[in-house]
Amino acid sequence: MKRFSFLVALIAILGADALAPQGPKASAKPAFDLKKAAAGTFAAMTIASNAFMPMADAMDYQYPAAFSSSTVVAEKVVREGLYRDYEVDIVQETDDARSTFKAAKETKSKKGKYTALLAVLIVGSFVIPMAQYFWYVRDDDSSDQFFAEDVPEPPKKKGGFFGRK
């Protein structure tokens, strides 16, 4: 790790020529640009260091066993007894696969009840906040003052330039 940080510092020092005096370049364009080559090497090393992770980290990226085709049905577990250890087979219980849905006829007959309940909830969600707002502003007379009929006349302008006639 120390070598890597030394390499990064060396590249930064060699590549930093912003404060150096910039004179006219006497030579032609070199065959390759050292700064671009160093930056490309640094990028390649960064990508490669993430690609080859240890196998212990790679185990975290596997799919869970529940999504595989080989599902465990029974598991052997070692238990402690009074005199010795013994193995026990733990059998997996299965879910009840029977269909327990209501019949289509029964669902259709109660559809109106649930439609009415949903309509009441939706209308209530609009009406209740509006009623609450009007309850809070019922004593406020700022709109009456804004739309009042008796508007005072604006002050009369003095004639001429800078108040002169």
Side-chain angles (χ1 to χ4, degrees), residues 42-127:
F42 178 71
M45 287 188 327
T46 304
I47 293 169
S49 67
N50 292 333
F52 300 113
M53 67 178 84
M55 290 305 290
D57 293 339
M59 292 299 289
D60 295 338
Y61 296 103
Q62 287 185 348
Y63 288 111
F67 297 117
S68 69
S69 62
S70 58
T71 305
V72 176
V73 176
E75 178 184 6
K76 289 194 177 210
V77 178
V78 177
R79 301 272 172 102
E80 288 185 11
L82 190 57
Y83 300 108
R84 64 181 176 91
D85 294 341
Y86 58 94
E87 289 185 4
V88 176
D89 286 339
I90 297 178
V91 180
Q92 180 181 357
E93 297 291 328
T94 58
D95 291 334
D96 186 12
R98 291 180 295 148
S99 175
T100 57
F101 295 112
K102 293 182 180 180
K105 193 174 193 179
E106 185 180 355
T107 306
K108 200 174 231 182
S109 68
K110 294 186 179 182
K111 183 178 178 183
K113 178 174 74 170
Y114 294 115
T115 303
L117 176 67
L118 185 63
V120 167
L121 289 174
I122 290 174
V123 169
S125 69
F126 285 100
V127 171

